[in-house]
Amino acid sequence: MNVTNTTAPTPNNPYIDFQAGVTAALRSWSALRTAVEQSWGGTDSPSKAEDLRTNIFSFFDGTSPNPKMSQDELEDNLMGYMEEEFGIVLEDGSEREVADLIWRMYELCARGDATLARSVVKNAMQAEEALKQSNVKSVIQSGDGDDDDMDGDSDVEEGDGMNTIGEGEGEDAGQQQQQQQQQQPMQDAVHGATNSNTAFAYASGTLFGGPPKPQKELPPPRQLGDPEPEKFQPEVDDDGFAVVATKKKGKKR
């Protein structure tokens, strides 16, 4: 591919399609989405998800047809990252599926074939739209169900603070999304990532949540060889206590 992740969008740029495909794969990963939505990684869970995507791009950077990490290493790193940063023990094998998809997209994009990556993006965008429609319907239809449904057995077990994603979880939601997709077909002009400009816009967006917060302006970092800036030294009296400045009171007339 011989491009970097900072390359501006140009026609037929396969690496941009790969970046969009990785973004779609992570957004569609139910374990990661649930971890962010439930803040299992703390208040900075969205940032941790962004760091995961950035780390993937650093090893799959488009400078060579061969990535800097093997598929097995990617799989192990995905599992370790989810456990260390979000406290999730993956038991559904989803990390293997995500690693395999990322590897295949990179391999094909390296050959100039972005078909798989664009298909992943299109499916993810359709699923996201279907999920939005599902949320709207659930709000409108809320209150129509029986109270007995709330007393059913829960699939979440109390553990030692670790969240476990088991095999088979989320299948019902996936079937509902598939039905909604069939009932509400999306227009290719809106949801099909068929060119590099669309793929670049999709890959440039945040994984979860709203737009990124503007960064605060910070002073330029001290360069090597520059003297260390002087630190404020408080005035100390004879007894070793810091002197506190007080306001002078005016004389009363």
Side-chain angles (χ1 to χ4, degrees), residues 84 86 124 133 166 197 211 248:
E84 293 172 5
F86 296 103
Q133 296 295 334
N197 290 331
K248 295 183 179 179

Side-chain angles (χ1 to χ4, degrees), residues 7-24:
T7 302
T10 57
N12 301 322
N13 190 332
Y15 184 70
I16 293 177
D17 288 296
F18 168 75
Q19 287 183 311
V22 172
T23 300

Side-chain angles (χ1 to χ4, degrees), residues 31-43:
L32 179 60
R33 175 178 290 276
T34 301
V36 174
E37 291 178 347
Q38 300 298 325
S39 298
W40 288 347
T43 56

Side-chain angles (χ1 to χ4, degrees), residues 171-216:
E171 291 182 354
D172 293 339
Q175 294 175 356
Q176 292 176 3
Q177 290 183 8
Q178 184 177 4
Q179 293 175 358
Q180 291 169 355
Q181 291 174 26
Q182 295 174 353
Q183 296 173 358
Q184 299 178 357
M186 310 304 170
Q187 297 180 357
D188 290 345
V190 178
H191 301 286
T194 57
N195 56 68
S196 293
N197 290 331
T198 305
F200 182 81
Y202 188 83
S204 300
T206 57
L207 280 176
F208 307 102
K213 298 181 180 179
Q215 297 181 353
K216 298 181 179 180

Side-chain angles (χ1 to χ4, degrees), residues 248-253:
K248 295 183 179 179
K249 297 182 179 180
K251 295 182 180 179
K252 294 183 179 181
R253 296 183 179 178

